Amino acid sequence: MAKVKLGQGIAGLFVIGILIVFVVGLKVQGETVGVGDKAYDFVLEGYDNTSYQLSDFQGQTVILNFFSTWCQPCESQAPDMLALSKEYADDVLVFTIVKTESKRAVERFIDRTGYEDKLYLFDFDLSVSEHYGITGQPETIIIDKEGVIADHIIGSVTKDYIVEHITALQ
């Protein structure tokens, strides 16, 4: 009898968990922008204490690279993101959007890796991540010069892959 009640309790918790995920998913889905949509405009604070508004960069290709300091694939792709931002600085702006982490965490990351030349922006409350449908990291959004989302890449990405995509947009 006790095993039956325990099984029913576990099944009930499982069903409640599924319902919560479903409801949260519907909420996020209704507010999410995707490929072909106008990019969601935002203002985020940068590591340099400057506020950055996405719409200020319309007319330029913008890369949003969603990132966490503890994420090994994020760290592995960082050299390619740096090379991209330096090599294509006149045509492409790369924002590294730090998800829910503190400036101190980014400072420790920079101390450990030396990747200080990146433009780090802080999505402290995940509101920007949610609008773009970001569920993990790394994820990369490519926004064309007209402010339309051209691609959403889940997982690690190389500089060459992004260059191929932005060249096709030109």
Side-chain angles (χ1 to χ4, degrees):
M1 186 68 160
K3 287 184 182 181
V4 171
K5 288 206 182 262
L6 178 63
Q8 289 173 338
I10 291 172
L13 288 174
F14 179 75
V15 168
I16 290 170
I18 294 294
L19 287 172
I20 290 171
V21 168
F22 179 72
V23 169
V24 169
L26 284 177
K27 176 187 177 283
V28 171
Q29 184 179 12
E31 301 170 2
T32 302
V33 292
V35 174
D37 292 336
K38 183 83 170 150
Y40 167 72
D41 193 21
F42 60 81
V43 176
L44 290 177
E45 181 182 344
Y47 183 71
D48 61 358
N49 294 319
T50 301
S51 290
Y52 292 87
Q53 183 161 2
L54 179 63
S55 59
D56 289 346
F57 302 96
Q58 188 153 347
Q60 212 173 347
T61 300
V62 177
I63 309 297
L64 306 178
N65 183 238
F66 291 84
F67 164 95
S68 293
T69 62
W70 51 265
C71 166
Q72 187 56 49
C74 298
E75 186 173 332
S76 296
Q77 77 175 14
D80 272 1
M81 290 293 123
L82 278 167
L84 175 71
S85 64
K86 288 179 181 178
E87 189 174 333
Y88 293 88
D90 292 338
D91 301 312
V92 177
L93 179 64
V94 179
F95 287 129
T96 299
I97 300 183
V98 183
K99 296 172 54 185
T100 69
E101 294 186 83
S102 68
K103 288 184 179 183
R104 180 66 186 126
V106 171
E107 187 176 293
R108 287 191 303 265
F109 176 80
I110 291 169
D111 289 345
R112 185 171 94 272
T113 65
Y115 300 143
E116 63 185 341
D117 293 337
K118 297 177 81 172
L119 186 51
Y120 297 99
L121 304 183
F122 293 94
D123 188 13
F124 291 119
D125 63 1
L126 293 177
S127 63
V128 173
S129 297
E130 288 174 0
H131 276 94
Y132 282 97
I134 304 300
T135 58
Q137 61 275 330
E139 289 190 42
T140 305
I141 304 287
I142 299 174
I143 302 170
D144 69 17
K145 292 179 180 184
E146 286 75 42
V148 175
I149 299 169
D151 204 352
H152 180 161
I153 304 151
I154 298 172
S156 293
V157 67
T158 64
K159 177 188 92 167
D160 292 338
Y161 183 86
I162 291 179
V163 168
E164 184 179 307
H165 276 69
I166 60 176
T167 302
L169 297 174
Q170 310 280 327

